[in-house]
Amino acid sequence: AQTVTQSQPEMSVQEAETVTLSCTYDTSESDYYLFWYKQPPSRQMILVIRQEAYKQQNATENRFSVNFQKAAKSFSLKISDSQLGDAAMYFCAYRGYSGGGADGLTFGKGTHLIIQP
Amino acid sequence: ETGVTQTPRHLVMGMTNKKSLKCEQHLGHNAMYWYKQSAKKPLELMFVYSLEERVENNSVPSRFSPECPNSSHLFLHLHTLQPEDSALYLCASSQVVQGIEAFFGQGTRLTVV
């Protein structure tokens, strides 16, 4: 079974600074997808970024980028120029390739990100 | 505005009650999911419906009963719950194509008293 580990229960960063959230995972599959979701106090889970394991290039979405290290099974999220609206719980998630989506997502426990004004 | 809508947003029920959670998606997806989010635990996948057929239930207790009448609607019927079932229940949908991410509703905060 796949597992996802987020070792930082809480992180704090000054507004406009850069912060990196860590995620490691365990799988025996060679093809899979990784995601970072954001959950603000509204409880809405919002996709931040996704990475296909077969792609060597790290995904980026505006101020959000990942450092995907397949051999190390590591998938960290970097948030540049942090903004107050980035404050939320951040979840790392895994989806296997073969299930076609029918196997759902495996989530980590989450990291609570605090933005200091 | 979310493409996945859950009702009610909050629910308090006694252990002998029967209630249902409703989820509706307006995204044209063909897979829907129920997740349970408890404090200090990872989100737990409860049920998957793909093309309106249940795919797995992950050993969820029978006091939780899902229903998927069509690809746009998903229900979670609740019966004789326990206090430890209090949690945030999230519905999600996706397209059954490799790699497509799931879109989530805002959840139902359930409290069992």
Side-chain angles (χ1 to χ4, degrees):
Chain A
Q2 295 82 19
T3 58
V4 177
T5 302
Q6 293 178 251
S7 58
Q8 306 152 316
E10 187 173 281
M11 292 282 285
S12 181
V13 64
Q14 290 289 130
E15 193 176 3
E17 297 290 304
T18 295
V19 64
T20 299
L21 308 184
S22 302
C23 173
T24 58
Y25 58 94
D26 189 25
T27 183
S28 58
E29 297 179 295
S30 57
D31 289 321
Y32 48 86
Y33 298 85
L34 296 165
F35 306 88
W36 278 99
Y37 279 87
K38 167 185 176 181
Q39 188 180 38
S42 68
R43 306 189 313 225
Q44 181 78 50
M45 292 283 275
I46 301 164
L47 179 71
V48 175
I49 200 166
R50 79 173 190 189
Q51 174 80 42
E52 292 88 341
Y54 61 83
K55 290 187 178 178
Q56 292 188 330
Q57 186 172 11
N58 289 323
T60 62
E61 286 288 340
N62 301 314
R63 297 183 294 107
F64 298 88
S65 61
V66 299
N67 183 2
F68 173 50
Q69 302 288 329
K70 190 173 183 180
K73 296 180 180 173
S74 170
F75 182 59
S76 61
L77 175 70
K78 185 171 85 171
I79 306 173
S80 303
D81 185 26
S82 299
Q83 300 175 1
L84 294 177
D86 295 333
M89 284 292 292
Y90 285 81
F91 293 94
C92 180
Y94 170 103
R95 165 174 283 168
Y97 184 82
S98 58
D103 47 358
L105 294 165
T106 300
F107 284 87
K109 287 187 177 182
T111 296
H112 181 210
L113 179 63
I114 298 167
I115 310 294
Q116 306 277 6
Chain B
E1 193 65 32
T2 178
V4 181
T5 305
Q6 289 186 243
T7 53
R9 294 290 308 278
H10 301 271
L11 178 62
V12 179
M13 60 184 288
M15 289 190 284
T16 58
N17 291 158
K18 289 185 182 180
K19 296 286 184 183
S20 296
L21 310 184
K22 180 183 176 182
C23 177
E24 185 174 0
Q25 60 97 0
H26 309 277
L27 300 169
H29 290 162
N30 55 15
M32 296 187 78
Y33 315 81
W34 280 116
Y35 287 87
K36 177 183 179 182
Q37 186 176 23
S38 306
K40 301 191 190 319
K41 292 175 72 174
L43 273 80
E44 302 169 59
L45 178 65
M46 299 177 71
F47 298 105
V48 180
Y49 276 86
S50 176
L51 303 171
E52 299 171 39
E53 212 172 293
R54 190 196 297 186
V55 175
E56 71 180 274
N57 70 358
N58 276 329
S59 302
V60 177
S62 59
R63 56 185 184 269
F64 295 92
S65 174
E67 179 189 1
C68 186
N70 55 61
S71 61
S72 299
H73 294 85
L74 183 66
F75 295 89
L76 187 63
H77 303 300
L78 314 172
H79 175 53
T80 58
L81 295 192
Q82 304 298 311
E84 60 265 29
D85 297 323
S86 298
L88 180 68
Y89 289 84
L90 290 165
C91 173
S93 71
S94 72
Q95 193 67 7
V96 183
V97 172
Q98 283 83 350
I100 298 299
E101 58 270 17
F103 292 80
F104 285 81
Q106 289 185 286
T108 296
R109 173 68 67 188
L110 174 67
T111 303
V112 181
V113 298

